Amino acid sequence: MKNLKLPITIDPFKSSQRRLECNGYFELLGLERLLAVSEKACEQVNVKVNFDVDEQGLTLLSGEASTQVNLICQRCNEPFVQDLSVNFTYSPVKNEEGAELLPSHYDVVVVDENGEVNLRELVEDELIINIPLVPKHDLKDCDAKANTSWGRLPDTLEKPNPFDVLKNLK
């Protein structure tokens, strides 16, 4: 199967009935929220999505996505390339009430008024969640010249007690 540009929105119910499998990509330039928290490193996000129906008759949308983005190291303030790779499983519902009936191991996505899911936004959300909270190089690759020590702290601190002065007042 060729690596094709994926549609932005798709009907998950019809696709699940056909057991559709999509291998393709989204242009990274179309993911504005992801680019707002990072910089472009790769041209595209590779995505594989499977549509299926589980043994309970629930529609499933599962897949994986991967790309590379440039982040700024919070130790040395230098850019570095971060690999982002995510796996996801969703069950689409038509309204919020339907979400309460789903098993807890499925994430919920609500379809729009046309009965479709915005696949690009779904993948973008998953990638944003996968960005580290504090992005930084591996310690061996970081150029930070911080005056820090790594290891155990001493069991006792050798600081004078500030209340020792009060003993002399008697």
Side-chain angles (χ1 to χ4, degrees):
M1 197 174 228
K2 292 181 181 178
N3 195 17
L4 303 172
K5 192 170 183 178
L6 292 172
I8 295 173
T9 61
I10 194 164
D11 186 331
F13 303 109
K14 290 180 183 176
S15 300
S16 293
Q17 295 302 320
R18 294 185 293 163
R19 307 270 196 259
L20 186 64
E21 181 178 309
C22 300
N23 288 325
Y25 67 93
F26 289 119
E27 295 289 333
L28 197 60
L29 291 175
L31 307 175
E32 291 87 15
R33 292 179 296 137
L34 181 61
L35 289 175
V37 295
S38 66
E39 296 178 25
K40 185 172 92 168
C42 185
E43 295 292 323
Q44 62 190 21
V45 177
N46 295 317
V47 180
K48 179 180 179 184
V49 182
N50 297 313
F51 296 90
D52 204 359
V53 178
D54 72 356
E55 58 276 348
Q56 296 176 342
L58 297 172
T59 300
L60 293 181
L61 161 76
S62 62
E64 54 193 49
S66 63
T67 191
Q68 290 182 331
V69 293
N70 283 332
L71 299 174
I72 302 297
C73 176
Q74 298 301 300
R75 281 192 288 243
C76 66
N77 285 331
E78 294 295 324
F80 70 99
V81 177
Q82 174 75 41
D83 291 323
L84 297 178
S85 182
V86 295
N87 293 315
F88 53 88
T89 301
Y90 287 94
S91 184
V93 294
K94 294 183 179 179
N95 52 34
E96 295 292 332
E97 292 80 32
E100 296 172 7
L101 304 174
L102 288 178
S104 62
H105 55 275
Y106 292 145
D107 287 328
V108 177
V109 62
V110 179
V111 296
D112 63 10
E113 62 275 356
N114 298 325
E116 294 183 333
V117 170
N118 191 324
L119 194 56
R120 184 171 68 181
E121 282 183 5
L122 198 74
V123 168
E124 184 177 26
D125 289 342
E126 289 290 332
L127 291 171
I128 290 172
I129 290 171
N130 200 39
I131 291 177
L133 188 59
V134 180
K136 51 191 171 187
H137 288 104
D138 286 335
L139 194 55
K140 64 182 182 330
D141 297 330
C142 193
D143 293 334
K145 293 180 177 33
N147 189 10
T148 59
S149 62
W150 305 98
R152 285 184 44 118
L153 291 174
D155 292 333
T156 60
L157 296 176
E158 297 179 18
K159 287 185 173 180
N161 187 348
F163 296 106
D164 285 342
V165 177
L166 296 176
K167 290 180 185 178
N168 297 334
L169 293 177
K170 289 184 180 182

PDB file of all heavy atoms in Angstrom, residues 42 62 67-68 70 75 88 101 120 138:
ATOM      1  N   CYS A  42      10.745  17.610  10.866  1.00  0.00           N
ATOM      2  CA  CYS A  42      10.433  16.645   9.822  1.00  0.00           C
ATOM      3  C   CYS A  42       9.321  17.245   8.967  1.00  0.00           C
ATOM      4  O   CYS A  42       8.588  18.114   9.421  1.00  0.00           O
ATOM      5  CB  CYS A  42      10.002  15.337  10.488  1.00  0.00           C
ATOM      6  SG  CYS A  42       9.714  13.985   9.353  1.00  0.00           S
ATOM      7  N   SER A  62      -8.181   2.876  15.870  1.00  0.00           N
ATOM      8  CA  SER A  62      -6.902   2.706  16.552  1.00  0.00           C
ATOM      9  C   SER A  62      -5.765   2.906  15.564  1.00  0.00           C
ATOM     10  O   SER A  62      -5.939   2.738  14.362  1.00  0.00           O
ATOM     11  CB  SER A  62      -6.809   1.325  17.195  1.00  0.00           C
ATOM     12  OG  SER A  62      -6.880   0.322  16.216  1.00  0.00           O
ATOM     13  N   THR A  67       6.660  11.200  14.317  1.00  0.00           N
ATOM     14  CA  THR A  67       7.318  12.315  13.643  1.00  0.00           C
ATOM     15  C   THR A  67       8.506  12.755  14.477  1.00  0.00           C
ATOM     16  O   THR A  67       8.771  12.197  15.548  1.00  0.00           O
ATOM     17  CB  THR A  67       6.357  13.502  13.410  1.00  0.00           C
ATOM     18  OG1 THR A  67       6.972  14.437  12.528  1.00  0.00           O
ATOM     19  CG2 THR A  67       5.960  14.172  14.710  1.00  0.00           C
ATOM     20  N   GLN A  68       9.212  13.765  13.999  1.00  0.00           N
ATOM     21  CA  GLN A  68      10.298  14.382  14.745  1.00  0.00           C
ATOM     22  C   GLN A  68      10.044  15.872  14.802  1.00  0.00           C
ATOM     23  O   GLN A  68       9.633  16.475  13.800  1.00  0.00           O
ATOM     24  CB  GLN A  68      11.648  14.141  14.071  1.00  0.00           C
ATOM     25  CG  GLN A  68      12.131  12.723  14.145  1.00  0.00           C
ATOM     26  CD  GLN A  68      13.486  12.570  13.491  1.00  0.00           C
ATOM     27  OE1 GLN A  68      13.839  13.300  12.571  1.00  0.00           O
ATOM     28  NE2 GLN A  68      14.267  11.605  13.959  1.00  0.00           N
ATOM     29  N   ASN A  70      11.661  19.716  16.660  1.00  0.00           N
ATOM     30  CA  ASN A  70      12.744  20.379  17.378  1.00  0.00           C
ATOM     31  C   ASN A  70      12.180  21.004  18.636  1.00  0.00           C
ATOM     32  O   ASN A  70      11.178  21.724  18.584  1.00  0.00           O
ATOM     33  CB  ASN A  70      13.384  21.470  16.523  1.00  0.00           C
ATOM     34  CG  ASN A  70      14.316  20.916  15.470  1.00  0.00           C
ATOM     35  OD1 ASN A  70      14.903  19.853  15.648  1.00  0.00           O
ATOM     36  ND2 ASN A  70      14.447  21.621  14.367  1.00  0.00           N
ATOM     37  N   ARG A  75      17.802  22.916  29.991  1.00  0.00           N
ATOM     38  CA  ARG A  75      19.039  23.071  30.745  1.00  0.00           C
ATOM     39  C   ARG A  75      20.003  24.011  30.050  1.00  0.00           C
ATOM     40  O   ARG A  75      20.589  24.873  30.680  1.00  0.00           O
ATOM     41  CB  ARG A  75      19.715  21.708  30.929  1.00  0.00           C
ATOM     42  CG  ARG A  75      19.127  20.863  32.013  1.00  0.00           C
ATOM     43  CD  ARG A  75      20.033  19.679  32.301  1.00  0.00           C
ATOM     44  NE  ARG A  75      20.000  18.712  31.227  1.00  0.00           N
ATOM     45  CZ  ARG A  75      19.564  17.467  31.371  1.00  0.00           C
ATOM     46  NH1 ARG A  75      19.153  17.044  32.535  1.00  0.00           N
ATOM     47  NH2 ARG A  75      19.567  16.649  30.349  1.00  0.00           N
ATOM     48  N   PHE A  88      -2.787   4.948  19.799  1.00  0.00           N
ATOM     49  CA  PHE A  88      -4.076   5.422  20.306  1.00  0.00           C
ATOM     50  C   PHE A  88      -5.190   4.455  19.936  1.00  0.00           C
ATOM     51  O   PHE A  88      -5.096   3.723  18.957  1.00  0.00           O
ATOM     52  CB  PHE A  88      -4.392   6.828  19.791  1.00  0.00           C
ATOM     53  CG  PHE A  88      -4.296   6.965  18.293  1.00  0.00           C
ATOM     54  CD1 PHE A  88      -5.385   6.701  17.479  1.00  0.00           C
ATOM     55  CD2 PHE A  88      -3.117   7.378  17.695  1.00  0.00           C
ATOM     56  CE1 PHE A  88      -5.299   6.826  16.105  1.00  0.00           C
ATOM     57  CE2 PHE A  88      -3.015   7.513  16.322  1.00  0.00           C
ATOM     58  CZ  PHE A  88      -4.110   7.236  15.530  1.00  0.00           C
ATOM     59  N   LEU A 101     -21.441   5.285  28.278  1.00  0.00           N
ATOM     60  CA  LEU A 101     -21.727   3.867  28.105  1.00  0.00           C
ATOM     61  C   LEU A 101     -20.526   3.048  27.631  1.00  0.00           C
ATOM     62  O   LEU A 101     -20.600   1.826  27.599  1.00  0.00           O
ATOM     63  CB  LEU A 101     -22.877   3.701  27.103  1.00  0.00           C
ATOM     64  CG  LEU A 101     -24.179   4.434  27.451  1.00  0.00           C
ATOM     65  CD1 LEU A 101     -25.177   4.309  26.320  1.00  0.00           C
ATOM     66  CD2 LEU A 101     -24.750   3.898  28.756  1.00  0.00           C
ATOM     67  N   ARG A 120      -6.931  14.513  11.673  1.00  0.00           N
ATOM     68  CA  ARG A 120      -5.709  15.315  11.833  1.00  0.00           C
ATOM     69  C   ARG A 120      -5.628  15.920  13.230  1.00  0.00           C
ATOM     70  O   ARG A 120      -4.579  15.877  13.871  1.00  0.00           O
ATOM     71  CB  ARG A 120      -5.646  16.408  10.763  1.00  0.00           C
ATOM     72  CG  ARG A 120      -4.358  17.205  10.821  1.00  0.00           C
ATOM     73  CD  ARG A 120      -4.194  18.109   9.656  1.00  0.00           C
ATOM     74  NE  ARG A 120      -5.183  19.172   9.698  1.00  0.00           N
ATOM     75  CZ  ARG A 120      -5.288  20.116   8.775  1.00  0.00           C
ATOM     76  NH1 ARG A 120      -4.488  20.105   7.736  1.00  0.00           N
ATOM     77  NH2 ARG A 120      -6.202  21.047   8.876  1.00  0.00           N
ATOM     78  N   ASP A 138      19.634  14.350  26.618  1.00  0.00           N
ATOM     79  CA  ASP A 138      20.217  13.390  27.538  1.00  0.00           C
ATOM     80  C   ASP A 138      21.363  14.109  28.234  1.00  0.00           C
ATOM     81  O   ASP A 138      22.014  14.978  27.652  1.00  0.00           O
ATOM     82  CB  ASP A 138      20.757  12.161  26.785  1.00  0.00           C
ATOM     83  CG  ASP A 138      19.644  11.264  26.292  1.00  0.00           C
ATOM     84  OD1 ASP A 138      18.550  11.287  26.891  1.00  0.00           O
ATOM     85  OD2 ASP A 138      19.875  10.539  25.302  1.00  0.00           O
TER      86      ASP A 138
END
